[in-house]
Short mmCIF file of all heavy atoms in Angstrom, two decimals:
data_model
loop_
_atom_site.label_atom_id
_atom_site.label_comp_id
_atom_site.label_asym_id
_atom_site.label_seq_id
_atom_site.Cartn_x
_atom_site.Cartn_y
_atom_site.Cartn_z
N ASP A 1 -131.67 93.77 -125.58
CA ASP A 1 -132.84 93.19 -124.98
C ASP A 1 -132.32 92.44 -123.71
O ASP A 1 -131.41 91.69 -123.72
CB ASP A 1 -133.66 92.18 -125.84
CG ASP A 1 -134.32 92.93 -126.95
OD1 ASP A 1 -134.63 94.14 -126.83
OD2 ASP A 1 -134.74 92.21 -127.96
N LEU A 2 -133.02 92.70 -122.51
CA LEU A 2 -132.71 91.99 -121.29
C LEU A 2 -133.90 91.11 -120.95
O LEU A 2 -135.08 91.61 -120.95
CB LEU A 2 -132.44 93.10 -120.18
CG LEU A 2 -131.04 93.84 -120.27
CD1 LEU A 2 -130.98 94.86 -119.15
CD2 LEU A 2 -129.95 92.82 -120.13
N VAL A 3 -133.60 89.89 -120.58
CA VAL A 3 -134.60 88.97 -120.16
C VAL A 3 -134.66 88.92 -118.61
O VAL A 3 -133.62 88.72 -117.97
CB VAL A 3 -134.34 87.58 -120.58
CG1 VAL A 3 -135.42 86.61 -120.16
CG2 VAL A 3 -134.34 87.56 -122.26
N LEU A 4 -135.86 89.12 -118.05
CA LEU A 4 -136.05 89.10 -116.62
C LEU A 4 -136.74 87.74 -116.23
O LEU A 4 -137.42 87.12 -117.04
CB LEU A 4 -136.89 90.16 -116.13
CG LEU A 4 -136.46 91.62 -116.41
CD1 LEU A 4 -137.50 92.63 -115.85
CD2 LEU A 4 -135.05 91.85 -116.19
N ASP A 5 -136.54 87.26 -115.00
CA ASP A 5 -137.18 85.99 -114.59
C ASP A 5 -138.59 86.19 -114.33
O ASP A 5 -139.20 87.22 -114.40
CB ASP A 5 -136.40 85.46 -113.45
CG ASP A 5 -136.51 86.44 -112.17
OD1 ASP A 5 -137.46 87.17 -112.04
OD2 ASP A 5 -135.59 86.33 -111.23
N GLU A 6 -139.24 84.96 -114.07
CA GLU A 6 -140.67 84.95 -113.87
C GLU A 6 -141.18 85.88 -112.76
O GLU A 6 -142.23 86.53 -112.89
CB GLU A 6 -141.12 83.62 -113.72
CG GLU A 6 -141.02 82.60 -114.86
CD GLU A 6 -142.05 82.83 -115.95
OE1 GLU A 6 -142.95 83.70 -115.70
OE2 GLU A 6 -142.01 82.06 -116.95
N GLU A 7 -140.48 85.74 -111.62
CA GLU A 7 -140.86 86.64 -110.50
C GLU A 7 -140.97 88.09 -110.87
O GLU A 7 -141.87 88.88 -110.51
CB GLU A 7 -140.04 86.34 -109.29
CG GLU A 7 -140.42 87.10 -108.04
CD GLU A 7 -139.55 86.79 -106.89
OE1 GLU A 7 -138.64 85.88 -107.04
OE2 GLU A 7 -139.67 87.28 -105.75
N ALA A 8 -139.91 88.66 -111.55
CA ALA A 8 -139.78 90.00 -111.83
C ALA A 8 -140.81 90.27 -112.93
O ALA A 8 -141.44 91.36 -112.82
CB ALA A 8 -138.44 90.29 -112.48
N ALA A 9 -141.15 89.47 -113.86
CA ALA A 9 -142.15 89.69 -114.92
C ALA A 9 -143.53 89.78 -114.27
O ALA A 9 -144.34 90.65 -114.61
CB ALA A 9 -142.13 88.44 -115.88
N ARG A 10 -143.76 88.98 -113.27
CA ARG A 10 -145.12 89.11 -112.48
C ARG A 10 -145.16 90.48 -111.89
O ARG A 10 -146.27 91.10 -111.87
CB ARG A 10 -145.31 88.01 -111.43
CG ARG A 10 -145.64 86.65 -112.21
CD ARG A 10 -146.01 85.71 -111.11
NE ARG A 10 -144.96 85.42 -110.12
CZ ARG A 10 -144.14 84.46 -110.18
NH1 ARG A 10 -144.15 83.58 -111.38
NH2 ARG A 10 -143.22 84.19 -109.30
N ALA A 11 -144.19 90.95 -111.13
CA ALA A 11 -144.08 92.17 -110.52
C ALA A 11 -144.38 93.34 -111.50
O ALA A 11 -144.81 94.45 -111.02
CB ALA A 11 -142.91 92.36 -109.66
N LEU A 12 -143.94 93.23 -112.66
CA LEU A 12 -144.02 94.40 -113.68
C LEU A 12 -145.20 94.21 -114.66
O LEU A 12 -145.32 94.97 -115.51
CB LEU A 12 -142.70 94.24 -114.53
CG LEU A 12 -141.45 94.73 -113.67
CD1 LEU A 12 -140.25 94.58 -114.50
CD2 LEU A 12 -141.46 96.16 -113.13
N ALA A 13 -145.88 93.20 -114.46
CA ALA A 13 -147.14 92.93 -115.22
C ALA A 13 -148.12 94.19 -115.17
O ALA A 13 -148.21 94.72 -114.07
CB ALA A 13 -147.86 91.66 -114.94
N GLY A 14 -148.72 94.62 -116.23
CA GLY A 14 -149.64 95.68 -116.15
C GLY A 14 -149.09 97.02 -116.41
O GLY A 14 -149.77 98.07 -116.26
N ALA A 15 -147.82 96.92 -116.70
CA ALA A 15 -147.06 98.33 -117.13
C ALA A 15 -147.34 99.38 -116.12
O ALA A 15 -148.00 100.31 -116.25
CB ALA A 15 -147.57 98.74 -118.55
N PRO A 16 -146.48 99.37 -114.97
CA PRO A 16 -146.64 100.29 -113.86
C PRO A 16 -146.33 101.71 -114.28
O PRO A 16 -145.57 101.91 -115.36
CB PRO A 16 -145.69 99.80 -112.86
CG PRO A 16 -144.70 98.83 -113.64
CD PRO A 16 -145.56 98.26 -114.69
N ALA A 17 -146.94 102.59 -113.66
CA ALA A 17 -146.86 104.09 -114.15
C ALA A 17 -145.40 104.58 -114.14
O ALA A 17 -145.13 105.58 -114.81
CB ALA A 17 -147.72 104.89 -113.27
N PHE A 18 -144.50 103.99 -113.24
CA PHE A 18 -143.23 104.50 -113.30
C PHE A 18 -142.51 104.30 -114.62
O PHE A 18 -141.39 104.99 -114.86
CB PHE A 18 -142.40 104.00 -111.99
CG PHE A 18 -142.22 102.56 -111.97
CD1 PHE A 18 -141.30 101.87 -112.82
CD2 PHE A 18 -142.93 101.74 -111.00
CE1 PHE A 18 -141.15 100.55 -112.71
CE2 PHE A 18 -142.67 100.36 -110.96
CZ PHE A 18 -141.81 99.74 -111.71
N PHE A 19 -142.91 103.36 -115.31
CA PHE A 19 -142.41 103.28 -116.65
C PHE A 19 -142.66 104.52 -117.44
O PHE A 19 -141.74 104.97 -118.16
CB PHE A 19 -143.06 102.02 -117.44
CG PHE A 19 -142.50 100.73 -117.06
CD1 PHE A 19 -143.20 99.52 -117.64
CD2 PHE A 19 -141.41 100.60 -116.29
CE1 PHE A 19 -142.70 98.36 -117.24
CE2 PHE A 19 -140.91 99.28 -116.05
CZ PHE A 19 -141.68 98.15 -116.46
N GLY A 20 -143.86 105.07 -117.40
CA GLY A 20 -144.17 106.20 -118.11
C GLY A 20 -143.33 107.40 -117.73
O GLY A 20 -143.07 108.36 -118.45
N ASP A 21 -142.84 107.46 -116.50
CA ASP A 21 -142.02 108.59 -116.05
C ASP A 21 -140.56 108.32 -116.26
O ASP A 21 -139.68 109.20 -115.88
CB ASP A 21 -142.20 108.76 -114.48
CG ASP A 21 -143.72 109.07 -114.24
OD1 ASP A 21 -144.28 109.84 -115.04
OD2 ASP A 21 -144.17 108.79 -113.15
N GLY A 22 -140.21 107.14 -116.83
CA GLY A 22 -138.79 106.89 -117.20
C GLY A 22 -137.95 106.50 -116.02
O GLY A 22 -136.73 106.77 -116.05
N ARG A 23 -138.63 106.01 -114.99
CA ARG A 23 -137.88 105.68 -113.79
C ARG A 23 -137.34 104.24 -113.88
O ARG A 23 -137.77 103.33 -113.01
CB ARG A 23 -138.81 105.88 -112.59
CG ARG A 23 -139.10 107.32 -112.23
CD ARG A 23 -139.72 107.52 -110.96
NE ARG A 23 -139.92 108.89 -110.67
CZ ARG A 23 -140.38 109.38 -109.50
NH1 ARG A 23 -140.81 108.58 -108.60
NH2 ARG A 23 -140.47 110.64 -109.29
N VAL A 24 -136.55 103.91 -114.76
CA VAL A 24 -135.85 102.67 -114.96
C VAL A 24 -134.44 102.92 -115.18
O VAL A 24 -133.99 103.70 -115.88
CB VAL A 24 -136.34 102.06 -116.30
CG1 VAL A 24 -135.70 100.69 -116.56
CG2 VAL A 24 -137.93 101.72 -116.19
N ALA A 25 -133.62 102.19 -114.32
CA ALA A 25 -132.06 102.26 -114.29
C ALA A 25 -131.52 100.83 -114.55
O ALA A 25 -132.05 99.81 -114.09
CB ALA A 25 -131.63 102.84 -113.01
N VAL A 26 -130.60 100.82 -115.44
CA VAL A 26 -130.00 99.56 -115.76
C VAL A 26 -128.58 99.66 -115.35
O VAL A 26 -127.70 100.62 -115.71
CB VAL A 26 -130.00 99.25 -117.33
CG1 VAL A 26 -129.31 97.94 -117.64
CG2 VAL A 26 -131.43 99.20 -117.77
N VAL A 27 -128.06 98.64 -114.53
CA VAL A 27 -126.66 98.65 -114.07
C VAL A 27 -125.86 97.88 -115.09
O VAL A 27 -126.16 96.63 -115.33
CB VAL A 27 -126.60 98.00 -112.65
CG1 VAL A 27 -125.10 98.01 -112.19
CG2 VAL A 27 -127.39 98.93 -111.65
N ILE A 28 -124.76 98.46 -115.60
CA ILE A 28 -123.94 97.76 -116.57
C ILE A 28 -122.64 97.69 -116.15
O ILE A 28 -122.14 98.48 -115.28
CB ILE A 28 -124.08 98.50 -118.00
CG1 ILE A 28 -123.61 99.97 -117.80
CG2 ILE A 28 -125.60 98.47 -118.47
CD1 ILE A 28 -123.54 100.74 -119.15
N ARG A 29 -121.77 96.75 -116.73
CA ARG A 29 -120.37 96.70 -116.30
C ARG A 29 -119.60 97.93 -116.87
O ARG A 29 -119.94 98.39 -117.85
CB ARG A 29 -119.71 95.42 -116.82
CG ARG A 29 -119.85 95.10 -118.32
CD ARG A 29 -119.35 93.75 -118.75
NE ARG A 29 -119.32 93.57 -120.13
CZ ARG A 29 -119.10 92.37 -120.65
NH1 ARG A 29 -118.83 91.35 -119.84
NH2 ARG A 29 -119.04 92.19 -121.95
N PRO A 30 -118.60 98.34 -116.19
CA PRO A 30 -117.86 99.60 -116.60
C PRO A 30 -117.36 99.40 -117.96
O PRO A 30 -116.93 98.26 -118.36
CB PRO A 30 -116.71 99.64 -115.52
CG PRO A 30 -117.30 98.99 -114.35
CD PRO A 30 -118.13 97.81 -114.81
N VAL A 31 -117.27 100.43 -118.77
CA VAL A 31 -116.72 100.46 -120.05
C VAL A 31 -115.20 100.23 -119.95
O VAL A 31 -114.56 100.86 -119.13
CB VAL A 31 -117.00 101.79 -120.80
CG1 VAL A 31 -116.40 101.73 -122.07
CG2 VAL A 31 -118.62 101.89 -120.91
N THR A 32 -114.72 99.38 -120.76
CA THR A 32 -113.22 99.07 -120.84
C THR A 32 -112.67 99.57 -122.20
O THR A 32 -113.35 99.30 -123.22
CB THR A 32 -112.84 97.59 -120.57
OG1 THR A 32 -113.60 96.85 -121.60
CG2 THR A 32 -113.23 97.14 -119.16
N ALA A 33 -111.49 99.99 -122.15
CA ALA A 33 -110.87 100.45 -123.44
C ALA A 33 -110.44 99.18 -124.26
O ALA A 33 -110.18 98.17 -123.73
CB ALA A 33 -109.61 101.31 -123.16
N LEU A 34 -110.52 99.45 -125.55
CA LEU A 34 -110.03 98.38 -126.42
C LEU A 34 -108.64 98.15 -126.23
O LEU A 34 -107.71 99.13 -126.20
CB LEU A 34 -110.37 98.84 -127.88
CG LEU A 34 -110.10 97.88 -129.04
CD1 LEU A 34 -111.01 98.13 -130.14
CD2 LEU A 34 -108.64 98.03 -129.56
N ASP A 35 -108.18 96.87 -126.06
CA ASP A 35 -106.91 96.44 -125.65
C ASP A 35 -106.03 96.28 -126.85
O ASP A 35 -106.11 95.20 -127.58
CB ASP A 35 -106.89 95.25 -124.76
CG ASP A 35 -105.60 94.74 -124.33
OD1 ASP A 35 -104.53 95.53 -124.52
OD2 ASP A 35 -105.36 93.61 -123.89
#
């Protein structure tokens, strides 16, 4: 689960249609091998 701030939450209120099209990208840190 990712928590967004108040400003982002207001911009996404109302479930915009691009959610339905799967146009959501999450930037994550690169995977590192177990050391």
Side-chain angles (χ1 to χ4, degrees):
D1 287 340
L2 289 174
V3 178
L4 308 185
D5 60 26
E6 291 284 1
E7 184 179 355
R10 286 194 296 270
L12 297 173
F18 60 74
F19 280 171
D21 296 329
R23 292 189 174 185
V24 177
V26 179
V27 178
I28 60 177
R29 58 188 182 185
V31 177
T32 56
L34 185 147
D35 178 16

